[in-house]
Amino acid sequence: MNVGFLPRPSFLTAEAQRFAHAFVSRRFSGVFIRGVPPHKKKTRQRIKTENAERRIIREVNILNQKMAALIEFETERLRLRQWIKSDREPFARLNADPRVMEFFPSILDRAASDAMLDRLQTLINERGWGFWAVESKQDNQFIGFVGLHIPSADLPFSPCVEIGWRLAFDYWGKGYATEAAQAALKVGFNRLELPEIVSFTAINNHRSSAVMERLGMNREIETFEHPSLPVGHFLKEHCLYRLSREKWRSSNSSGRDNS
């Protein structure tokens, strides 16, 4: 089972019984059990179905526990952690900076920025991973976010897990995005066991494309139109980058570490 492509753990547990029952009912409906008297066929089939349900529920709950455990980690210069209250003010400044938001549809006001922070924080609480807040170890200052995310938009290559970043302008040009993203890839491939991680951006966002290439990602030849943007929008055409776990591990001598 691919943890990156499953529903959020917050309702995996709540829906496990219905999910398992629906899955097994489809699988075993109409099964003819040879050699079993007609009045006992239903009992035998029900036992088989219940055993399968219990097995699926057990697997789902194990996955739920694995995904919900909070993941935080460090690099040489950075901490990637859960969001905290003091991140709100610098995050709002970042989201209101036209330089940072050049390749996004618009800047965000304080209410929209706080709402985004709340969503990112909630997703990490539910999954254990996501777009982590990034903090400089040198001065303990919040500098932006980097991490992994399941896009909500109906993209041509969905379902997928993407890697993304957004850093305050003062911290550009220092290699922080690449450093943090390399660590996030390690989490995605080793701890979450994702088979592939993607990244995408507007075709004229050359800075982000350069980071994707430094991460060893491969650009697809064909571009795509982002479904969340209106027809004719100058950011609608996007490029897609992919990186498989096999390629990442072959390119990283320490790639098989469990950190």
Side-chain angles (χ1 to χ4, degrees), residues 30-63:
V31 173
F32 175 74
I33 304 175
R34 188 182 302 275
V36 179
H39 69 282
K40 292 187 177 180
K41 286 183 181 179
K42 186 175 182 180
T43 300
R44 179 73 66 84
Q45 183 169 333
R46 181 178 295 147
I47 292 172
K48 189 173 184 180
T49 299
E50 289 175 352
N51 287 339
E53 285 181 351
R54 282 194 290 270
R55 184 177 67 253
I56 293 172
I57 292 169
R58 184 167 60 250
E59 293 174 355
V60 166
N61 284 334
I62 291 172
L63 179 60

Side-chain angles (χ1 to χ4, degrees), residues 5 7 13 15 45 47 58 87 92 103-104 125 136 161 163 179 183 187 189 194 203:
F5 303 154
T13 299
E15 296 289 324
Q45 183 169 333
I47 292 172
R58 184 167 60 250
D87 296 331
F103 296 102
F104 292 91
N125 281 335
S136 168
V161 174
I163 186 165
E179 181 177 328
V187 169
F189 288 131
L194 300 172
I203 59 171

Side-chain angles (χ1 to χ4, degrees), residues 194-245:
L194 300 172
E196 180 185 66
I197 295 174
V198 305
S199 195
F200 49 90
T201 188
I203 59 171
N204 49 349
N205 187 353
H206 303 301
R207 287 190 298 270
S208 279
S209 293
V211 174
M212 296 168 195
E213 291 169 6
R214 285 196 292 271
L215 295 174
M217 307 187 85
N218 294 324
R219 179 170 175 167
E220 296 281 281
I221 296 176
E222 295 185 358
T223 59
F224 71 96
E225 294 188 337
H226 200 292
S228 299
L229 295 171
V231 175
H233 195 285
F234 76 102
L235 295 175
K236 190 168 182 64
E237 188 177 3
H238 274 53
C239 53
L240 170 67
Y241 285 77
R242 297 181 183 269
L243 180 62
S244 69
R245 182 172 62 211

Side-chain angles (χ1 to χ4, degrees), residues 108-128:
L108 303 181
D109 61 21
R110 180 60 187 264
S113 179
D114 285 350
M116 181 179 182
L117 187 152
D118 290 339
R119 288 194 301 272
L120 298 180
Q121 186 180 58
T122 297
L123 287 172
I124 292 177
N125 281 335
E126 293 173 347
R127 295 175 177 150

Side-chain angles (χ1 to χ4, degrees), residues 83 87-120 131 142-145 165-169 172:
W83 296 78
D87 296 331
R88 291 183 180 274
E89 181 64 34
F91 190 51
R93 289 198 302 269
L94 177 159
N95 288 322
D97 188 336
R99 298 168 297 182
V100 174
M101 304 298 287
E102 179 181 1
F103 296 102
F104 292 91
S106 65
I107 61 174
L108 303 181
D109 61 21
R110 180 60 187 264
S113 179
D114 285 350
M116 181 179 182
L117 187 152
D118 290 339
R119 288 194 301 272
L120 298 180
F131 280 148
F142 169 87
I143 70 170
F145 71 74
W165 45 84
R166 188 181 302 178
L167 300 183
F169 182 78
W172 289 12

